[in-house]
């Protein structure tokens, strides 16, 4: 009961994995079910060694926090060994290992992991994704399976197929064999009747809903045709252009899954804006629709900003001198989000009082203040001050700088360095 007292979610998740894993192990015909069941029940016991403030965070973990979370595998192993549970301790240690050495803590390969562990890895991820939490309503079963299939190279694919058959719920895009020997692809899964999806018959290229009397049913999965990140992104853009916020959010949530916060900016927000901008220039898109699309993007960005501001541990500060009326601009919000991700808190101040700005620079121990204005007079770029330097940018400068980051690796580039590089390269030109 120690885990329940420390972290109720981990306790409930462990029990869920215990039930699902035991049922699935029996379905596969594995031996020594009792040992497997005990291993599944105690696979997350190492969470009792993780600080509660990290376990209860309501956002994606920072790299340092994730490093701490990862220690629950080895700590759980040690805890079980100390308590005479050598027979099942390896389940705690190895349940986050993945094929081809892409897991932790020991980067094991398939041959180094027992079948019982390979089964646990699938059940553990499925349970975590479908569980409800304070900040996460939980994936539908079909969506969770689709995400697992997207990363199929990390798991025992034979077990994945068998798990789907065991559940009787087939994700959208599954290629399946029907009981009448026809092949079909699952097109739509209904929440109330997930075992009776709408399918497209591959030979006849027509759709049908599987009948309620199960006279035709799915007998096994043949393949899974996953949507790539690019395909989901295109569906996201399609709904963004249509200003359909509800459908757009479905694709947005799929896109951000497993992405680092900086990748969310570089791979979603910036490319989406660039596409919208190209549409207005090349196709003369309705400006009202364009503004509505930008407002939806800004709303999504502000939600990400709120999480970053509340929960990220910041190590530095910087000063942005921006008129109050400009601070709601989409590009200013993007700058703000990238700075937060770089663990930098931006202090905003109005540009009407040089003395207050220099005092703030001295207080924050910085030697640069970044002025961002709607338009800049010719030649207004750099102003040396006794306390440091004022650097000046127009909104167009910021827009072009941000667009230039599209496709860039997220590997810890400094956004402040990029701002300074751009300004001084423009002075040389």
């Amino acid at each position: 009961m120690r885990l329940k007292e420390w972290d109720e979610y981990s306790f409930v998740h462990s029990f869920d994995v215990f039930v699902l894993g035991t049922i699935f192990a029996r379905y596969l015909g594995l031996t020594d079910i009792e040992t497997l069941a005990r291993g599944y029940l105690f696979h997350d016991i190492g969470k009792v060694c993780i600080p509660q403030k990290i376990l209860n965070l309501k956002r994606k973990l920072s790299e340092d926090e994730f490093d701490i979370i990862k220690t629950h595998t080895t700590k759980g192993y040690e805890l079980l060994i100390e308590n005479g549970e050598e027979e099942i301790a390896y389940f705690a240690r190895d349940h986050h290992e993945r094929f081809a050495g892409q897991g932790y803590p020991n980067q094991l390969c398939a041959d180094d992991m027992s079948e019982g562990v390979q089964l646990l890895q699938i059940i553990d991820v499925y349970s975590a994704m479908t569980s409800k939490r304070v900040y996460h309503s939980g994936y539908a079963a079909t969506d969770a399976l689709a995400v697992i299939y997207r990363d199929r190279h990390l798991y025992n694919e034979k077990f994945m197929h068998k798990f789907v058959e065991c559940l009787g719920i087939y994700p959208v895009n599954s290629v399946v064999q029907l009981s009448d020997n026809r092949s079909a692809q699952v097109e739509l899964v209904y929440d109330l009747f997930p075992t009776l999806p709408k399918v497209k018959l591959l030979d006849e290229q027509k759709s049908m809903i599987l009948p309620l009397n199960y006279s035709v049913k799915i007998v096994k999965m043949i393949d899974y045709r996953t949507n790539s990140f690019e395909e989901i992104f295109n569906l996201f853009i399609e709904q963004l252009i249509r200003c359909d916020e509800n459908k757009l959010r479905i694709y947005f949530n799929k896109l951000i899954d497993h992405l680092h916060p900086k990748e969310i900016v570089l791979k979603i927000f910036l490319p989406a804006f660039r596409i919208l901008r190209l549409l207005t220039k090349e196709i003369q898109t309705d400006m009202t629709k364009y503004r509505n699309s930008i407002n939806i993007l800004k709303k999504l960005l502000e939600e990400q900003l709120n999480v970053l501001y509340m929960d990220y541990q910041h190590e530095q500060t910087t000063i942005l001198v921006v008129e109050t009326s400009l601070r709601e601009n989409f590009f200013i919000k993007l700058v703000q989000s990238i700075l937060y991700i770089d663990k930098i808190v931006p202090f905003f101040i109005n540009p009407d009082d040089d003395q207050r700005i220099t005092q703030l620079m001295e207080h924050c121990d910085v030697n640069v203040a970044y002025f961002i204005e709607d338009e800049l007079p010719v030649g207004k770029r750099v102003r040396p001050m006794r306390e440091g330097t004022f650097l000046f940018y127009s909104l167009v400068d910021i827009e072009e700088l941000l667009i230039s980051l599209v496709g860039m690796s997220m590997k810890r580039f400094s956004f402040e360095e990029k701002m300074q590089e751009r300004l001084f390269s423009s002075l040389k030109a």
Side-chain angles (χ1 to χ4, degrees), residues 49-51 54 61-75 104-105 107 343 412:
C49 302
I50 305 300
I54 293 180
L61 300 173
S62 68
E63 291 177 20
D64 291 341
E65 290 159 352
F66 187 50
D67 284 341
I68 293 171
I69 284 285
K70 287 195 290 188
T71 64
H72 81 277
T73 53
T74 50
K75 289 181 184 298
Y104 65 86
Q107 294 77 50
K343 298 186 177 181
R412 292 191 177 262

Side-chain angles (χ1 to χ4, degrees), residues 229-230 233 262-272 274 338 400-411 413 418:
F229 181 91
E230 290 73 21
F233 180 76
K262 191 176 279 187
E263 289 181 302
I264 295 173
V265 173
L266 297 177
K267 292 185 175 182
I268 301 175
F269 285 113
L270 287 176
R274 186 172 66 172
I338 295 175
E400 290 177 353
L401 170 61
L402 289 167
I403 293 299
S404 73
L405 300 177
V406 174
M408 183 174 289
S409 168
M410 60 159 271
K411 299 231 173 180
F413 66 79
K418 292 293 178 186

Side-chain angles (χ1 to χ4, degrees), residues 95-358:
H95 67 280
H96 281 288
E97 297 289 356
R98 297 292 182 262
F99 279 29
Q102 295 188 45
Y104 65 86
N106 296 315
Q107 294 77 50
L108 301 179
C109 294
D111 292 343
D112 302 317
M113 296 181 279
S114 70
E115 287 190 330
V117 165
Q118 293 177 23
L119 181 157
L120 171 60
Q121 291 161 356
I122 296 168
I123 300 294
D124 180 47
V125 172
Y126 175 81
S127 171
M129 292 184 68
T130 53
S131 297
K132 291 184 179 180
R133 303 195 71 170
V134 175
Y135 58 92
H136 181 4
S137 59
Y139 282 74
T142 53
D143 291 336
L145 291 169
V147 172
I148 295 171
Y149 265 96
R150 183 191 66 192
D151 299 330
R152 68 178 83 181
H153 60 289
L154 300 177
Y155 305 99
N156 182 320
E157 195 164 346
K158 180 184 77 174
F159 282 3
M160 287 168 59
H161 286 340
K162 290 294 184 183
F163 181 53
V164 169
E165 291 170 14
C166 179
L167 290 176
I169 300 173
Y170 294 80
V172 172
N173 293 329
S174 303
V175 179
V176 297
Q177 182 181 325
L178 303 179
S179 55
D180 59 7
N181 287 323
R182 289 183 292 179
S183 298
Q185 183 170 351
V186 177
E187 289 187 313
L188 182 64
V189 179
Y190 302 97
D191 290 341
L192 293 178
F193 301 100
T195 59
L196 297 171
K198 179 182 178 183
V199 300
K200 178 186 280 187
L201 301 171
L202 296 182
D203 291 339
E204 303 169 37
Q205 289 299 304
K206 69 177 184 180
S207 298
M208 65 175 285
I209 299 172
L210 296 185
L212 287 170
N213 64 3
Y214 289 92
S215 57
V216 178
K217 59 185 179 182
I218 297 172
V219 293
K220 69 176 181 178
M221 177 184 280
I222 301 170
D223 194 11
Y224 180 77
R225 298 174 180 176
T226 184
N227 283 328
S228 66
F229 181 91
E230 290 73 21
E231 288 169 327
I232 298 171
F233 180 76
N234 289 338
L235 293 169
F236 168 76
I237 291 296
E238 183 181 325
Q239 301 308 321
L240 182 62
I241 293 167
R242 291 178 178 175
C243 300
D244 189 333
E245 187 173 345
N246 290 331
K247 288 184 179 177
L248 171 149
R249 283 181 177 276
I250 294 171
Y251 298 119
F252 180 73
N253 289 331
K254 289 181 179 180
L255 288 170
I256 67 173
D257 190 44
H258 303 316
L259 286 186
H260 183 277
K262 191 176 279 187
E263 289 181 302
I264 295 173
V265 173
L266 297 177
K267 292 185 175 182
I268 301 175
F269 285 113
L270 287 176
F273 168 75
R274 186 172 66 172
I275 289 169
L276 290 176
R277 188 177 69 164
L278 286 171
L279 287 174
T280 57
K281 289 183 176 179
E282 304 293 332
I283 310 175
Q284 300 298 311
T285 302
D286 180 354
M287 286 306 294
T288 302
K289 216 168 186 182
Y290 167 76
R291 280 191 289 271
N292 289 339
S293 296
I294 288 292
N295 284 335
I296 292 172
L297 262 189
K298 193 166 88 171
K299 187 175 178 182
L300 291 173
L301 181 60
E302 285 173 344
E303 290 169 6
Q304 297 296 308
L305 266 172
N306 287 337
V307 173
L308 289 169
Y309 179 74
M310 290 173 63
D311 295 313
Y312 264 66
Q313 296 178 358
H314 302 106
E315 300 169 354
Q316 298 172 255
T317 57
T318 195
I319 296 171
L320 298 181
V321 187
V322 185
E323 290 278 6
T324 305
S325 58
L326 278 184
R327 292 178 198 172
E328 293 304 308
N329 181 277
F330 181 66
F331 306 117
I332 303 298
K333 294 286 185 185
L334 279 172
V335 169
Q336 198 177 351
S337 67
I338 295 175
L339 289 171
Y340 280 145
I341 295 163
D342 283 342
K343 298 186 177 181
I344 300 172
V345 176
F347 278 105
F348 283 96
I349 187 169
N350 283 319
D352 51 5
D353 190 337
D354 286 358
Q355 186 176 353
R356 283 189 62 213
I357 296 168
T358 54

